[in-house]
Amino acid sequence: MPARTTMRRVGAAALTALVAAGAAVGSTAASDRGHGNHHGGKDRARNVIVLQGDGMGLAARELIRLASVGKDGHLVMDSLDEAGWTATDSADPEDAVTDSAAGATAFATGVRTFNGAVGVDADGTPVPTLLEDARQAGKATGLVSTAQITDASPAAFGAHVTDRYDQSEIARQYLEESRPDVLLGGGEDFWYPEGEPGAWPDNPPEDPEEQSKGTEGNLVERAQELGYTYVSDAEGLAGADGRRLLGLFANEEMFQQANEGEGDVYSPEVPLVDMAAKALDVLQRDRDGFFLFLEEEAIDEFAHQSNATRTIEAGRSLDETVALALDFQKKHRDTLVLVVGDHATGGLAIENVDPEDESGEGQTAEDGPFPIPGTDLEFTVDWTTGGHTGEATPITAQGPGAERLSGPQLNTDVHDAVQKAMFPRGHR
C-alpha cells in the first residue's frame, strides 16, 4: 500500500522560442565566462535566491508578459542569462500530474515523491533539503510566500511530513528542527490553537470559515521563546530588527481566491516584494551567505479559479520581486538567482477575440478581452480545467552555476544544480 495512505506524519512552439532566446543569451554568457566576466564571478554561489511562481507554466508566463509589456516586451524574469524547462512529473502511484507538494519536494530534495508529501521520498522517509544543507553549512535561511508559510511549497524546503495539510506540525518543525531565520507569509490560523485567535481575527467577513485551528499549542509564543521577533502587519515588518523574524500576515493565504467578481481579492497586507526586501536585509548579514525561497502562490490559486485578471496581477508581483532579486545579484555577484514553476494550472490558452470560438461555460468560460500594450489588439484567455496540468515549466537563472539550468531538466535536476552551485567541491 502506498505511503500516502498508510502514513500521516514524519519528524512547445513558444517554449522553443524561449529556449532559443535563452540559448542565445547563454552563448554570450558562456563567452563572458571564458573571459572571467560571468555574472557571479567565482564558481561558488555564496547566496541562493529561488523564486517560484506556483502554477506558472509557460502559458501563464506568456500571459503575464503579453498583458504587461506587449508583443515586443520582456518580463524581468525572462532577462536572466540562462533559460530552460523542467519536467514536472511526480512519483505518485495514483495521479499522472503533480501537485505543489511533490513538485516543490523535487526542487528541494532532488527526489520525486507522491502527491501531498513534503520533504519525504516515495516511501515516506525524510530527505535532506537545500535549506537544511545551507543551514548545516552555516548559512542563514529564509522562506517567504503569499500562501500560508506552512503551505506545500515552502514546507518542502523546511519540513518532512507525508500530508501537506498537517500545517501546524510543519510550523513546529520549522521552529524546532529546520529553524529558518526568516519566515514570512500567511497562515496564522495554524500557529494558534482553536479558540485562541491571534492578530488576525477568527471568522473575518471576507471568509467566515477562517479561524484558528492549530494542533501543536501556541506556536507564536514558542517562536518568541526561541528568539524570533513576531510581526503581523506591514508596519511591524518595516520596524522589525534582529536576526530571526516570523511574520504572519493573514489567517490563510494573503488574498481571496475566487472567479472574477465573486469575492476575488489580491491585495496582500505586505506585498511579496516588500517581504523579499526584508528577508534579504536580514539574511545578508550572515557572513557565510544565505538560502532564500520566495513564492508567489496567487498565480496558481487564481488559475484554479479561471481568473485571468488576478493571475496577471499576481504574475506582475512576482516579476517585481525578480527585479529586486536581480538588483541584489548585481551588487553581490556570488548570488545564484533562479525563477521556476512547480507545475502548470488551468490549462490556459491565449486566443484571438472571436465570439464564435467561445468554449467553456460558467467559471471556465473565456476571460477578457485584454488589451495588448502598444497595439490596438486584444486577446482572450480560455481555460480547460480547474486543476493542474502536466506540461513542462520554464526556468531562468543567473549567477554561479546557472549554466547547469539551461536546456531540458528534470525537476530533480534543479535541486542538483543548486546544490552543486552552493557546494562545488562537495563540502557542506
Side-chain angles (χ1 to χ4, degrees):
M1 183 176 294
R4 67 183 292 179
T5 57
T6 59
M7 300 179 64
R8 173 169 176 79
R9 182 186 303 177
V10 180
L15 180 58
T16 302
L18 172 66
V19 175
V25 176
S27 343
T28 303
S31 175
D32 287 346
R33 283 196 295 275
H35 292 84
N37 295 322
H38 179 54
H39 290 293
K42 300 177 181 178
D43 63 349
R44 172 179 171 270
R46 178 174 176 269
N47 310 311
V48 174
I49 305 173
V50 178
L51 298 108
Q52 176 171 292
D54 200 286
M56 190 174 67
L58 182 61
R61 195 152 158 167
E62 279 294 277
L63 168 64
I64 298 159
R65 184 190 69 84
L66 194 61
S68 301
V69 296
K71 286 187 169 187
D72 298 323
H74 298 280
L75 295 172
V76 177
M77 68 179 84
D78 293 333
S79 71
L80 283 72
D81 286 347
E82 308 288 348
W85 66 97
T86 70
T88 62
D89 315 295
S90 69
D92 196 273
E94 299 175 14
D95 295 326
V97 177
T98 192
D99 76 337
S100 292
T105 295
F107 289 156
T109 70
V111 173
R112 284 181 171 160
T113 191
F114 55 90
N115 291 357
V118 294
V120 299
D121 65 18
D123 295 321
T125 303
V127 186
T129 73
L130 289 171
L131 182 144
E132 292 169 329
D133 288 345
R135 186 178 181 278
Q136 184 180 352
K139 296 179 183 293
T141 60
L143 299 171
V144 177
S145 177
T146 55
Q148 303 94 335
I149 194 56
T150 49
D151 198 26
S153 295
F157 288 86
H160 307 276
V161 297
T162 59
D163 184 350
R164 61 179 287 179
Y165 298 108
D166 202 356
Q167 294 195 55
S168 291
E169 168 63 9
I170 290 167
R172 185 200 67 77
Q173 289 188 26
Y174 286 167
L175 298 180
E176 298 182 355
E177 297 178 20
S178 60
R179 291 178 283 175
D181 298 277
V182 174
L183 292 162
L184 302 177
E188 188 195 63
D189 284 353
F190 297 97
W191 296 71
Y192 286 94
E194 183 178 356
E196 295 183 28
W200 292 85
D202 284 355
N203 316 115
E206 59 271 19
D207 190 345
E209 295 185 1
E210 294 181 348
Q211 61 183 34
S212 297
K213 61 191 79 172
T215 60
E216 302 295 327
N218 189 323
L219 293 175
V220 169
E221 284 188 358
R222 179 62 177 148
Q224 291 171 322
E225 292 170 357
L226 292 171
Y228 285 87
T229 298
Y230 175 61
V231 297
S232 59
D233 56 26
E235 183 179 0
L237 182 64
D241 199 5
R243 301 181 70 90
R244 309 195 81 190
L245 182 59
L246 169 65
L248 301 173
F249 306 114
N251 290 77
E252 298 280 347
E253 295 93 348
M254 296 174 66
F255 46 83
Q256 296 296 322
Q257 58 268 44
N259 200 8
E260 287 98 330
E262 298 178 6
D264 55 317
V265 178
Y266 182 79
S267 182
E269 166 67 22
V270 186
L272 180 63
V273 67
D274 291 347
M275 292 193 290
K278 190 66 174 186
L280 288 170
D281 179 59
V282 173
L283 298 178
Q284 69 176 317
R285 303 173 194 174
D286 193 302
R287 65 181 183 181
D288 295 313
F290 64 81
F291 176 90
L292 175 61
F293 175 79
L294 303 167
E295 178 191 38
E296 180 48 81
E297 169 71 14
I299 296 170
D300 175 64
E301 296 288 357
F302 285 113
H304 276 300
Q305 303 296 324
S306 303
N307 188 328
T309 299
R310 300 299 189 191
T311 299
I312 294 166
E313 194 173 354
R316 289 169 176 163
S317 171
L318 176 64
D319 207 43
E320 183 180 11
T321 308
V322 175
L324 174 75
L326 289 185
D327 183 64
F328 181 90
Q329 201 267 345
K330 287 175 184 176
K331 299 170 185 174
H332 304 83
R333 296 302 182 100
D334 52 1
T335 300
L336 172 63
V337 175
L338 56 153
V339 185
V340 299
D342 52 348
H343 54 74
T345 301
L348 74 90
I350 301 167
E351 299 181 346
N352 288 323
V353 178
D354 183 356
E356 297 182 1
D357 187 37
E358 166 63 21
S359 60
E361 57 185 67
Q363 182 171 296
T364 57
E366 288 181 349
D367 286 343
F370 298 96
I372 300 177
T375 76
D376 296 325
L377 299 174
E378 295 181 318
F379 66 91
T380 59
V381 175
D382 209 350
W383 304 90
T384 61
T385 179
H388 297 167
T389 54
E391 65 264 35
T393 58
I395 180 169
T396 46
Q398 182 165 302
E403 67 279 359
R404 299 186 186 97
L405 295 164
S406 179
Q409 309 279 319
L410 300 177
N411 49 10
T412 53
D413 293 336
V414 175
H415 163 274
D416 298 347
V418 174
Q419 188 179 67
K420 183 67 175 176
M422 283 199 295
F423 311 109
R425 296 165 189 83
H427 298 159
R428 297 185 205 173

